[in-house]
Amino acid sequence: MAYLTTTGSGQPVLILKEGTTRNRGKEAQRNNIMAARVIGEVLKTTLGPRGMDKMLIDSLGDITITNDGAAILKEIDVEHPAAKMMVEISKTQDDMVGDGTTTAVVLASELLKKAEELLDQNIHPTILVSGYRKAAQKAIETINKIAVTVNIDDRKTLLKVALTSISGKAVGGASEHLAEIAIDAVKQIAEQRGDKMIADIDNIQLVKKTGKSLLETQLIQGIIVDKEIVHPGMPKKKENAKIALLDSALEIEKTEMSAEIRIRDPSQMKAFLDQETSMLKVMSDKIKKSGADIVFCQKGVDDMVQHFLAKEGIMAARRVKESDMEKLARATGARIVSDLDDLKAKDLGLAGMVEERKIGEDKMLFVEKCKDPHSVAILIRAGLERMVDEAERAMTDALSVVSDVIENNKIVGGGGAVEIEIAKDLRNYATKVGGREQLAIEAFADAVEVIPKTLAENGGLDAIDVLVDLRSAHEKKGGENMGLNVFTGKVRDSIESGVVEPVVVKEQAIKSAAESASMILRIDDVITSKAPKGGPGGPGGGMPGGEGEE
């Protein structure tokens, strides 16, 4: 309906366009909170090592089976704008730290639930937002207070961090094998920049192939190129290979303009064709002169050049992706050359072995046994395609948390330990703040406890009993790392028992959840414009009344 108002003389004035809907005040807030909470409810059952999976079927009928928060929200087609904000939290969490997406969304959902109870008591949203902001800052202080600094060469701790992130995934018995690979891969690509360690997991290539089992997932000290050797006469394997990377075409460029060549003598015709062949021969000679055993070309390779290279026993692959070229350069130490005339021996990279292998239906080039690669590949295997996908998600989580710890070497206890400690500190802090903000800070404390509560529920335990046990354990001296063992239902020291998480994951989850909850709470009016039928300017999209009307 269009929004009308009237002037003093009773003349109607159209404010909003025909078809616009508007919700305001309490109704708008309730709708937004409800939509955001629904997203939290969807993810709640996937939290923790006993979390369940979701089966998602898209509009094309493709199936995804996972309990990875980010993957679930990516697949769900969300309509409501407030719910879309929850999807954004998970995306931010995933992009920034790679893990803790479910935690962030479930926490944001619970913050809104607690806020709704206070809104019903007529507490103004601005007071809630201000209280939540103070509580989030205090929570991050608590995290840093109880954080434990680790040595990044301490492999045992890194393994615990990786295993904690994989624990809820469906990879079961292979989790330790995947965690070990993740640590080796991240340590290999980590580099010192100034006084900081940087571990960019984009330098780790994940290649998925169905067949064999999860336990045959392997780390390649080099790169896998999803291409085959261009000519059957070329060797399929080279030891101690010298590698040339070209991003120019090994073929003669066709001219853009239409040119005409007049040939009056048959011998001139032959000379013209021979000239083209000799130009192509010069190309292959330049590659041979540089001493390269294998050429990776980003563009095309002419059939004639393939023939000449095959005669020289040089391997070649064409139309290699730019991202693979960059990884090959990092792995082998080669320089990507744009002009063939510039190709020198010093531009070549080295690999202990380059081999074309057939995996399933596809042929792939394995560039491995590189000396000190700054880019590596992980070949993920499993019997089912869905399982390969889930193993990839588990591997990405493990790589992310290991790189988080290498870049910022602090950890906290998992299993709800850090959340209970935050809640305890916040309740003490709330009384010092006083006023109505105190209620918002206490609400934040209650909301944070949703994590241990959900872990208990998903493990089939009594949430109330677990919360009481955890709170009393944290009241004792030195109890700040006491968390829940989901499998036994007992409270124990999380750090000692190896359930640990990077500090940055927890910090980011709290920041994202508090920010999005605050943003949703501040909205008191939702005005939705209705798209005209047939799109802009289409039927019904023009001016009301049509032509000829005054």
Side-chain angles (χ1 to χ4, degrees), residues 143-423:
I143 291 172
N144 286 302
K145 182 186 77 181
I146 63 168
V148 177
T149 305
V150 293
N151 180 350
I152 57 170
D153 295 321
D154 176 3
R155 195 182 174 89
K156 264 189 179 168
T157 306
L158 291 180
L159 186 64
K160 287 172 185 172
V161 171
L163 283 172
T164 303
S165 83
I166 297 181
S167 63
K169 301 280 183 286
V171 292
S175 51
E176 198 150 324
H177 177 63
L178 297 183
E180 294 276 5
I181 287 176
I183 293 166
D184 289 336
V186 175
K187 293 210 83 166
Q188 184 59 54
I189 58 112
E191 55 190 348
Q192 190 85 27
R193 287 191 204 160
D195 56 353
K196 279 192 77 180
M197 278 297 273
I198 300 290
D200 182 359
I201 63 167
D202 287 344
N203 293 319
I204 300 169
Q205 180 193 31
L206 297 179
V207 180
K208 304 181 289 184
K209 281 287 165 223
T210 45
K212 301 207 172 178
S213 77
L214 276 170
L215 290 165
E216 277 153 293
T217 296
Q218 64 190 102
L219 175 66
I220 307 287
Q221 292 287 346
I223 294 296
I224 301 167
V225 181
D226 202 350
K227 297 285 172 194
E228 52 186 289
I229 298 291
V230 288
H231 192 283
M234 290 177 177
K236 301 285 186 235
K237 183 177 178 179
K238 273 268 162 80
E239 304 267 340
N240 299 321
K242 291 180 182 158
I243 295 164
L245 303 179
L246 292 177
D247 74 352
S248 59
L250 289 174
E251 51 197 7
I252 292 168
E253 297 286 325
K254 301 286 182 277
T255 54
E256 288 294 319
M257 58 215 176
S258 55
E260 191 179 297
I261 300 167
R262 296 181 179 223
I263 293 173
R264 294 188 176 83
D265 184 352
S267 61
Q268 283 180 316
M269 182 71 188
K270 186 173 185 324
F272 175 70
L273 293 171
D274 287 350
Q275 180 66 28
E276 189 170 335
T277 307
S278 67
M279 284 165 77
L280 294 167
K281 175 88 170 76
V282 167
M283 286 183 179
S284 77
D285 287 346
K286 283 176 185 166
I287 291 167
K288 184 178 187 313
K289 193 178 163 197
S290 73
D293 298 316
I294 173 159
V295 183
F296 288 100
C297 186
Q298 209 175 310
K299 299 191 170 83
V301 178
D302 192 280
D303 292 355
M304 212 64 198
V305 178
Q306 292 177 25
H307 164 74
F308 290 131
L309 290 175
K311 270 175 72 175
E312 300 293 352
I314 297 170
M315 300 160 82
R318 63 179 163 188
R319 308 213 185 282
V320 178
K321 286 191 303 205
E322 188 180 354
S323 58
D324 284 354
M325 293 288 277
E326 286 166 10
K327 288 191 178 86
L328 279 165
R330 287 180 64 85
T332 63
R335 279 200 16 231
I336 299 174
V337 176
S338 299
D339 186 349
L340 198 54
D341 293 332
D342 288 345
L343 185 63
K344 305 281 186 297
K346 66 177 188 302
D347 297 324
L348 303 181
L350 296 172
M353 185 168 71
V354 177
E355 184 182 11
E356 181 186 84
R357 292 182 201 152
K358 193 168 183 188
I359 295 192
E361 295 289 298
D362 309 315
K363 288 179 181 168
M364 301 168 105
L365 276 167
F366 282 71
V367 180
E368 53 184 326
K369 296 182 183 166
C370 297
K371 198 173 172 198
D372 182 23
H374 293 297
S375 200
V376 293
I378 297 170
L379 179 63
I380 298 172
R381 308 300 304 270
L384 278 171
E385 197 180 328
R386 313 269 167 266
M387 198 63 186
V388 179
D389 292 342
E390 185 65 347
E392 182 195 24
R393 286 187 279 268
M395 183 58 84
T396 308
D397 280 3
L399 292 169
S400 301
V401 292
V402 173
S403 80
D404 289 341
V405 172
I406 282 180
E407 288 183 0
N408 182 349
N409 60 337
K410 286 185 172 173
I411 56 167
V412 284
V418 69
E419 284 83 7
I420 295 288
E421 188 66 18
I422 287 171

Side-chain angles (χ1 to χ4, degrees), residues 353-521:
M353 185 168 71
V354 177
E355 184 182 11
E356 181 186 84
R357 292 182 201 152
K358 193 168 183 188
I359 295 192
E361 295 289 298
D362 309 315
K363 288 179 181 168
M364 301 168 105
L365 276 167
F366 282 71
V367 180
E368 53 184 326
K369 296 182 183 166
C370 297
K371 198 173 172 198
D372 182 23
H374 293 297
S375 200
V376 293
I378 297 170
L379 179 63
I380 298 172
R381 308 300 304 270
L384 278 171
E385 197 180 328
R386 313 269 167 266
M387 198 63 186
V388 179
D389 292 342
E390 185 65 347
E392 182 195 24
R393 286 187 279 268
M395 183 58 84
T396 308
D397 280 3
L399 292 169
S400 301
V401 292
V402 173
S403 80
D404 289 341
V405 172
I406 282 180
E407 288 183 0
N408 182 349
N409 60 337
K410 286 185 172 173
I411 56 167
V412 284
V418 69
E419 284 83 7
I420 295 288
E421 188 66 18
I422 287 171
K424 184 186 92 175
D425 280 8
L426 284 180
R427 288 193 181 103
N428 293 336
Y429 172 63
T431 52
K432 294 180 189 135
V433 173
R436 290 189 164 201
E437 276 185 0
Q438 173 180 348
L439 297 172
I441 295 168
E442 283 170 356
F444 199 105
D446 292 342
V448 171
E449 287 182 339
V450 73
I451 302 299
K453 216 161 133 190
T454 307
L455 287 173
E457 283 166 7
N458 291 350
L461 306 166
D462 187 298
I464 303 294
D465 291 350
V466 165
L467 269 184
V468 169
D469 292 350
L470 281 170
R471 281 179 186 168
S472 65
H474 276 254
E475 288 302 329
K476 292 172 190 156
K477 197 173 178 345
E480 63 267 14
N481 294 320
M482 299 305 276
L484 170 66
N485 180 338
V486 181
F487 300 102
T488 62
K490 300 277 187 292
V491 170
R492 45 88 174 106
D493 190 309
S494 288
I495 289 183
E496 268 178 29
S497 55
V499 179
V500 287
E501 295 182 66
V503 160
V504 285
V505 171
K506 286 290 176 207
E507 279 186 358
Q508 184 64 42
I510 282 174
K511 285 177 191 167
S512 308
E515 273 177 23
S516 58
S518 300
M519 191 165 246
I520 289 172
L521 286 174

Side-chain angles (χ1 to χ4, degrees), residues 523-537:
I523 298 166
D524 78 331
D525 209 335
V526 178
I527 301 166
T528 315
S529 301
K530 193 175 173 190
K533 285 178 191 163

